[in-house]
Amino acid sequence: MQIDGVEIEDTFAEAFKMYATRVLITAKNEKWALASAASMTGFSTSVIMCGCEAGIECEVPPEETPDGRPGTNVLVFAVSEKDLETQLMRRIGQCVMTSPTSACFNNLEGDIKITIGGKLRFFGDGYQISKLLGKRRLWRIPVMEGEFVIEEKFQAQKAVGGGNFLILGKDIDHVLEASEKAVDAIKKVRNVIAPFPGGIVRSGSKIGSRYKFLEASTNTAYCPTLKAMVESELPRDVNSVLEIVLDGLDVESVNEAMRKGIEAACSVDGIIKITAGNYGGKLGKYLIHLHELFGD
Amino acid sequence: MILRPKFKAKMPIEAECISPDILAEKRIENLEVYHGNKRRKLSDLFEILDVKTKDVRIEGDVGNVKYIGAKMRSGKIIIDGNAGMHLGSEMEGGEIFVEGDAGDWVGAEMRGGLIRIKGNAGNLVGAAYRGSKVGMRQGMIIVEGDAGHEIGERMKRGIIAILGDVASFAGAHMKGGTILCFGNMGERTGAEMDRGTIIAFNPLQLLPTFHYNATYNPVFLRFCLRELRKYDLPIADEHITGRYERYNGDLTELGKGEILVWKG
């Protein structure tokens, strides 16, 4: 199968069950809503070392936010409900509550409820105030700047982590351009984030290592500089590979994001092949076959 | 269901059975009301039509009928005229709409649901009954006209919005919840309140036991007012984006209540 002359390998991405929530951060203006969201989603590329995977999903116009101020949607993914709660507590407490003019609202209807504002409220040292509006309870925590408003509970749901595809090209310039176009296309899909820097990974990994203390190591089969030294998966004319990793609230959204991302990547000259990372289908709950994304 | 009053007597009637839940669950011919100190059949006092519809419409003035919708859990009551005392008292859910005025104790000790009065309401809207520690616990009461004394007395949660003026002692002994007044507020607003929020959109005479804290635009209020716009309240953009003076009190009590005064 080919798209714009680029070979799409007959393989699949292997994705995993995760737990996710959507946090809406509002602030006085877009600048501060984004600043708070950027801080909250810092150091959150992979659950392996960061505890969660998080990213900015989209900006939200004032007319669609609860307080009528500009907002930013953040998606946070973790491997368990407990991990999700831990990460939300840390990240909202340290990155959102501290951010000037911010407020923090649940923006997901899920079947799992996680108490965050109901715990952060104790920062108010007894001067916190609860407001129940319909079924939503807000906490007003007095801070030096004024008041930090946060919803008592955030809702979460089962989600999908680890959707991916690899872009193989003749050099880094073309592969990076294709990756950037892929990420731009993915950003237009709701319910999905690409948590790595700029949405792109250059250091994909394989399970295991020759060193016993390491559980994962560099993906040697896709390292162009090792083509002649290992059992390489790279054609002779491929000199650079970048990976796009995706997390989504549901597999349909991940599929759509992968489809649009691959199409965008294939529109760039110098791209030779698109493939995906998997573990033989033995570990992940979701197997996303690349050809099936395009109805083949 | 449609109820048409057949009575003209001034003698008060107590009709707790006028509730969509009770009318749907029980045999209508067995329902009794008190007319003065006498038990009467509901059907003696009201012409009852369209019995298969759960929602209740009262076509006429029932200003001397007490406890309409008391303890109701669901459904809707529409009253084309005035309503008597204790309307929707202790109600848990559902909606009551009154085209005219309502008497005292509207939504007293209410636990949920919505009451909307197009005219004026009497005293003690959403209040606690005498001897009781807690008034309104949840739900919303909207009075499009004026309201009397002691509205929201001892209320703990929920929202009372008065579009006109309110008389004295609004929010007295308040423990939580929110009172909004778009008109003028009477004397001793928030007297002995522990917690809760009173929002005044016009200047008012504050008790000396309320202290000024700051002037700011409360984010929670933006959220609250935007939600209340869904109920067709006269909330202007300036109310949402404007600044409010925050006073805490009543310092004769816990002092964690607040009065927010809109400054534009």
Side-chain angles (χ1 to χ4, degrees), chain A residues 218-243:
Chain A
T218 191
N219 194 356
T220 47
Y222 286 89
C223 291
T225 56
L226 304 180
K227 240 186 290 183
M229 299 172 67
V230 298
E231 197 173 327
S232 180
E233 294 287 343
L234 300 181
R236 182 178 176 78
D237 50 350
V238 168
N239 292 300
S240 189
V241 179
L242 289 173
E243 182 177 1

Side-chain angles (χ1 to χ4, degrees), chain A residues 16 205-209 214-219 278-279 283:
Chain A
F16 300 85
S205 61
K206 67 176 184 297
I207 293 176
S209 164
L214 214 53
E215 291 180 355
S217 60
T218 191
N219 194 356
N278 62 62
Y279 308 95
L283 298 179

Side-chain angles (χ1 to χ4, degrees), chain B residues 54-121:
Chain B
K54 188 183 178 189
D55 291 345
V56 178
R57 176 179 284 274
I58 301 176
E59 294 182 346
D61 195 314
V62 285
N64 64 334
V65 180
K66 301 177 185 177
Y67 293 105
I68 294 172
K71 299 181 182 176
M72 71 183 271
R73 301 187 303 273
S74 62
K76 188 190 290 185
I77 298 175
I78 299 168
I79 301 170
D80 285 342
N82 299 323
M85 293 165 67
H86 308 283
L87 176 81
S89 59
E90 299 180 68
M91 73 185 277
E92 296 175 17
E95 298 170 325
I96 300 176
F97 297 94
V98 179
E99 291 291 327
D101 300 335
D104 297 342
W105 302 103
V106 169
E109 301 192 12
M110 180 180 184
R111 291 164 169 79
L114 169 69
I115 301 175
R116 185 163 192 140
I117 315 290
K118 276 207 167 180
N120 303 319

Side-chain angles (χ1 to χ4, degrees), chain A residues 114-182:
Chain A
I114 301 173
T115 301
I116 301 297
K119 293 178 180 171
L120 281 177
R121 69 186 168 105
F122 293 110
F123 184 72
D125 201 24
Y127 296 99
Q128 65 272 23
I129 297 172
S130 156
K131 276 291 159 205
L132 185 65
L133 294 161
K135 292 182 178 176
R136 301 177 78 170
R137 183 182 293 282
L138 302 180
W139 283 100
R140 300 162 54 194
I141 302 172
V143 290
M144 295 191 300
E145 169 251 316
E147 276 181 347
F148 174 54
V149 172
I150 180 169
E151 195 144 2
E152 168 151 294
K153 291 180 189 294
F154 286 73
Q155 297 184 29
Q157 66 176 52
K158 288 175 183 168
V160 182
N164 69 82
F165 58 93
L166 284 73
I167 303 168
L168 286 57
K170 69 177 185 181
D171 57 40
I172 179 58
D173 293 339
H174 289 88
V175 175
L176 186 57
E177 183 187 345
S179 300
E180 288 172 349
K181 286 199 170 180

Side-chain angles (χ1 to χ4, degrees), chain B residues 114-152:
Chain B
L114 169 69
I115 301 175
R116 185 163 192 140
I117 315 290
K118 276 207 167 180
N120 303 319
N123 305 308
L124 294 148
V125 173
Y129 283 119
R130 299 308 188 205
S132 177
K133 289 184 178 177
V134 182
M136 184 176 177
R137 290 163 171 83
Q138 226 173 77
M140 185 183 297
I141 302 172
I142 299 169
V143 179
E144 296 188 24
D146 301 333
H149 302 279
E150 293 185 69
I151 67 159

